[in-house]
Amino acid sequence: MRRFHLLLPIVGILLLTACQNTKKELTAEPVDTDTVIVDADQYLLMETSEGNITFKLYRETPLHRHNFVKLARKGYYDNQQFYRLQNNFTIQAGDPKSKGATRDVPLGDNDVDYTIPEEIQPNKYYHKRGALAMASYYRMEKSSGGHFYIVTGFKYSDTKLFNAEDAYNKKLRKEVFDSLTQRYSPQLREYAKDTKRNMAKIREIKKKVSEETDKVMATRQQFHYTPEQKKQYKTVGGAADLDGYYTVFGEVIEGMDVVTKIEKRAVDSKLRPLEPAIIKRIREISAPIQQ
């Protein structure tokens, strides 16, 4: 994780190895909107074996916020372990079978039985150091119902931030390209029966879709980090390569020293800590008094 070019391949491993089986039947979680507070931020205190961590949850990501609070109220996270620690990247938890699990019990493949629609807002909520986000089975589409991570990250150079922006814009173009390609699915399926004979026709469709994609992208504003985001990534750090893939729904406002203490634990080849770091419980609190 210390080198920029290693980040993207590892992203697919981390977020989420707990969700390797993407064929698992999952349903969208119906949200009880009557209990979602939409006009105020919420605050949670996570008590861990290493100390306390205080989170602010954003009002503009109500589905994720409500789900996280709901699980906390139910005690879902009580006594869970942080099962994956990736130095200079993230710490991750959310496996219900991690409660009291010994080292011979594999962790990371267990979750609640639903997903959450994405609420990705990289222009506003991004993967700065201390960001709280949900892992995903289907990045850019749905979040895991239970697995979350806290960003530790590293400090970015201007070049690395430019590369992160460029990758995000290419990803947006691919989404448009894939969407437009769906219009030609019947022809492409037919041509695929004899690709050798129909290769010219397939290439013609791809060329046409590419031209249509260019027209769509010309009407859209390219993604660029704001001056504040650039300053944050360059001076404090984070994981910019995750922006646009996963939903950030909160941030650490107190206790990053505890997060760092957990992050620096010795881990095995699967990034599981040799000695467990435990979430004792998570409870709702009032807004902390700013010093």
Side-chain angles (χ1 to χ4, degrees), residues 1-4 6-8 10-11 14 84-92 127-130 149-156 160 233 236-242 256 259-265 267 271:
M1 291 310 309
R2 294 179 182 175
R3 295 188 180 183
F4 178 76
L6 293 179
L7 281 169
L8 288 180
I10 294 177
V11 166
L14 165 73
R84 183 175 292 107
L85 313 179
Q86 202 153 352
N87 196 34
N88 296 327
F89 193 43
T90 64
I91 64 174
Q92 188 170 354
H127 286 79
K128 63 184 180 181
R129 178 173 170 81
Y149 59 95
I150 304 170
V151 174
T152 54
F154 63 91
K155 296 178 183 179
Y156 279 70
K160 290 179 179 179
Y233 276 133
V236 180
D241 306 272
L242 299 180
M256 273 307 294
V259 175
T260 300
K261 187 176 180 181
I262 294 172
E263 174 201 22
K264 299 302 181 183
R265 281 177 174 257
V267 298
L271 304 179

Side-chain angles (χ1 to χ4, degrees), residues 9-287:
I10 294 177
V11 166
I13 297 174
L14 165 73
L15 305 170
L16 111 34
T17 300
C19 304
Q20 289 176 342
N21 182 9
T22 57
K23 295 182 179 180
K24 187 184 296 184
E25 289 297 323
L26 298 169
T27 59
E29 168 70 353
V31 176
D32 179 5
T33 54
D34 289 338
T35 63
V36 177
I37 303 172
V38 296
D39 60 350
D41 298 314
Q42 283 181 292
Y43 298 86
L44 296 178
L45 179 68
M46 175 185 289
E47 300 173 12
T48 81
S49 56
E50 311 308 311
N52 295 341
I53 304 169
T54 303
F55 298 103
K56 172 184 175 180
L57 307 187
Y58 305 136
R59 70 188 75 180
E60 293 90 345
T61 53
L63 301 180
H64 286 70
R65 183 183 64 176
H66 173 63
N67 178 71
F68 198 71
V69 172
K70 177 186 69 176
L71 292 179
R73 288 174 178 171
K74 291 181 176 179
Y76 174 81
Y77 294 113
D78 293 1
N79 300 311
Q80 282 194 24
Q81 300 178 31
F82 283 96
Y83 65 83
R84 183 175 292 107
L85 313 179
Q86 202 153 352
N87 196 34
N88 296 327
F89 193 43
T90 64
I91 64 174
Q92 188 170 354
D95 189 328
K97 290 191 177 181
S98 68
K99 298 184 180 186
T102 55
R103 289 200 53 76
D104 60 318
V105 177
L107 298 180
D109 291 324
N110 312 289
D111 200 354
V112 296
D113 60 357
Y114 60 83
T115 58
I116 311 168
E118 60 85 10
E119 295 177 294
I120 298 171
Q121 303 172 56
N123 286 300
K124 192 170 187 179
Y125 302 127
Y126 56 105
H127 286 79
K128 63 184 180 181
R129 178 173 170 81
L132 173 66
M134 294 304 284
S136 178
Y137 293 88
Y138 314 94
R139 63 183 187 178
M140 298 182 287
E141 296 181 20
K142 306 172 185 176
S143 297
S144 159
H147 288 255
F148 71 91
Y149 59 95
I150 304 170
V151 174
T152 54
F154 63 91
K155 296 178 183 179
Y156 279 70
S157 66
D158 285 322
T159 299
K160 290 179 179 179
L161 279 177
F162 173 82
N163 289 339
E165 285 181 344
D166 185 55
Y168 183 67
N169 286 314
K170 287 178 178 178
K171 174 185 64 182
L172 294 179
R173 189 183 191 284
K174 184 178 184 302
E175 288 179 341
V176 173
F177 182 90
D178 291 345
S179 177
L180 293 174
T181 300
Q182 294 301 313
R183 300 177 183 178
Y184 303 92
S185 292
Q187 297 102 303
L188 290 172
R189 280 195 295 267
E190 187 64 28
Y191 294 156
K193 294 176 181 179
D194 190 345
T195 55
K196 186 175 182 180
R197 177 178 296 179
N198 296 315
M199 184 53 67
K201 295 179 181 178
I202 293 173
R203 287 174 177 165
E204 184 61 30
I205 288 178
K206 289 185 176 180
K207 179 182 178 182
K208 187 174 183 179
V209 172
S210 182
E211 291 172 350
E212 292 175 356
T213 300
D214 289 340
K215 291 179 181 179
V216 172
M217 295 306 296
T219 67
R220 297 189 176 186
Q221 187 174 8
Q222 292 280 294
F223 171 77
H224 295 290
Y225 288 112
T226 66
E228 163 126 10
Q229 288 174 321
K230 288 182 179 180
K231 181 179 179 181
Q232 179 79 23
Y233 276 133
K234 291 165 64 175
T235 61
V236 180
D241 306 272
L242 299 180
D243 288 333
Y245 288 96
Y246 309 96
T247 297
V248 174
F249 66 100
E251 64 183 91
V252 175
I253 58 173
E254 292 180 4
M256 273 307 294
D257 57 326
V258 176
V259 175
T260 300
K261 187 176 180 181
I262 294 172
E263 174 201 22
K264 299 302 181 183
R265 281 177 174 257
V267 298
D268 61 19
S269 60
K270 295 183 179 180
L271 304 179
R272 180 169 170 177
L274 301 181
E275 294 294 331
I278 308 296
I279 299 171
K280 294 181 179 179
R281 67 167 178 161
I282 303 176
R283 57 188 175 87
E284 297 167 81
I285 61 172
S286 301

